[in-house]
Amino acid sequence: MIKKTDGKALQEKLTHKWRNVWEELEDSQLDIVKNMGEEYKIFLDKGKTEREVVSNIVKMAEENGYVSLESIIKKKIKVVPGTKIYANNKDKSVAMFIIGKEKIEDGMNIIASHVDSPRIDLKQFPLYEQDGLGLLKTHYYGGVKKYQWVTLPLSLHGVVIKSNGEKIHITIGEDEKDPVFFITDLLPHLAKDQMEKKMGEGITGEGLNILFGSIPYNDSEISEKVKLNILNILNEKYGIMEQDFTTAEFEIVPAGKARDVGIDRSMIGGYGQDDRVCVYTSLKSMLDTSTPNRTAVALFSDKEEVGSLGNTGMESRFFENAVAEIINLTEESYNELKLKRALANSKVLSADTVGAFDPNYPDVLDKRNSPFLGKGICLVKYTGARGKSSTNDANSEYISEIRKIFNNNNIIWQMGELGKVDQGGGGTIAYILANYGAEVVDCGVSLLSVHGPFEISSKADIYMTYEGYKAFYKEA
């Protein structure tokens, strides 16, 4: 016969319920959450492209005593525990290191996020004139819902390399006095055929053309007067001509600033929070970390939204090469075995976002296994699609270690996965770092409307993720 005991006490002992951060914050912490939210909004506004984010990271790193790897090698600066180093990869990805007391060969504590976000890029020859309007041809980047990008105020960000080699940085549409740009849509009165299409077909990739101007150049002898007038404006202001588009990287992103969301100002809305919310929290935790036992690394990679390929993506040798250089600076002798050991013995948080439970769309989500806004930093044991395709799937021993770190430091955390099994799925850079043999688990902030032009995060989750990352650097 089962011994009868107090049911409520037994329930509290044996069952688990995720905690709500807001219900447990002290008054002093509420001020920190508020201030961090303001700082984070500024961070989002300053970095709407991967180049802008990396530029901001490098600036903040240098202000906090970090020295470029290139300078350390060139000036033969002595590297000791506590030395702060950053490695900049073509202004599109960056790695920060704080040298620890233990040998790098014994492993590093790494938090890895990505600086790129879904967007719209310009084609190589984008500018054309059609029926009295100047337009730009585009090619979308990453997983976007194309219909979300029409009838929005848009801004243009990018760099141009002129024929003389001069690099020009251009941003139009963010200052209140700037013009903005636009992708048109059909009025509902004439959209019968469009409305009968599937959502993914109502707006096509080739239809995402940017409205860029409409005043013709005042010369009756020429054709394409609107196009010429636009080129003339660009030439007078920036000194560029049409061929310079071939050596440019222009990105179209939503115009406007990040904003508080909700009457209680509990949330933040803005473009690019996947994955810049994890960039911000890992950067801030890294800047607030002093000399650790194990070398601490904040890794910010590019190209995650398109497969992590290319020489600035996580599939490149950039990070591996940077670690090799640092081993060479910190050890009496370098060999490949030390590099392999350093990577294999590392512990990694793959800092990426995950979709939070949305009560407007409950049918695609498993409520029992979804993360929620306001319930803290989220661990994601596995990602992938359907049958865990292309996932990392962290082991129990490592999950247990991270749970212990979080619990010992009173970090409010939760676990979740990306929707119901057969709905689709997604991936992160976790599997790439796991290829080295490192222990890796996805761990970040849950968002609403992931990959939309305006994503939503909880200020409480941002704060708790920062605290969780800081604890990981200290104790992993």
Side-chain angles (χ1 to χ4, degrees), residues 167-184:
K167 181 186 289 187
I168 305 292
H169 292 266
I170 297 175
T171 300
I172 308 172
E174 298 297 345
D175 189 281
E176 290 183 358
K177 296 180 181 178
D178 283 350
V180 294
F181 309 107
F182 193 77
I183 301 172
T184 61

Side-chain angles (χ1 to χ4, degrees), residues 458-472:
S458 165
K459 292 181 180 180
D461 293 338
I462 294 169
Y463 168 69
M464 202 51 62
T465 299
Y466 156 75
E467 291 288 352
Y469 288 165
K470 198 165 59 168
F472 171 81

Side-chain angles (χ1 to χ4, degrees), residues 4-23:
K4 188 175 181 180
T5 186
D6 181 76
K8 187 174 182 181
L10 189 64
Q11 186 180 50
E12 290 179 356
K13 179 181 177 181
L14 298 182
T15 62
H16 180 77
K17 183 178 181 181
W18 299 123
R19 299 151 67 191
N20 188 300
V21 179
W22 292 111
E23 293 177 348

Side-chain angles (χ1 to χ4, degrees), residues 321-337:
N321 292 344
V323 174
E325 292 283 5
I326 288 177
I327 291 174
N328 191 51
L329 290 166
T330 56
E331 303 282 344
E332 291 183 3
S333 61
Y334 168 83
N335 61 58
E336 188 177 0
L337 183 58

Side-chain angles (χ1 to χ4, degrees), residues 368-387:
R368 292 181 178 85
N369 289 282
S370 291
F372 291 79
L373 283 193
K375 294 193 176 180
I377 186 172
C378 182
L379 286 170
V380 181
K381 186 180 188 298
Y382 49 82
T383 54
R386 296 179 172 86

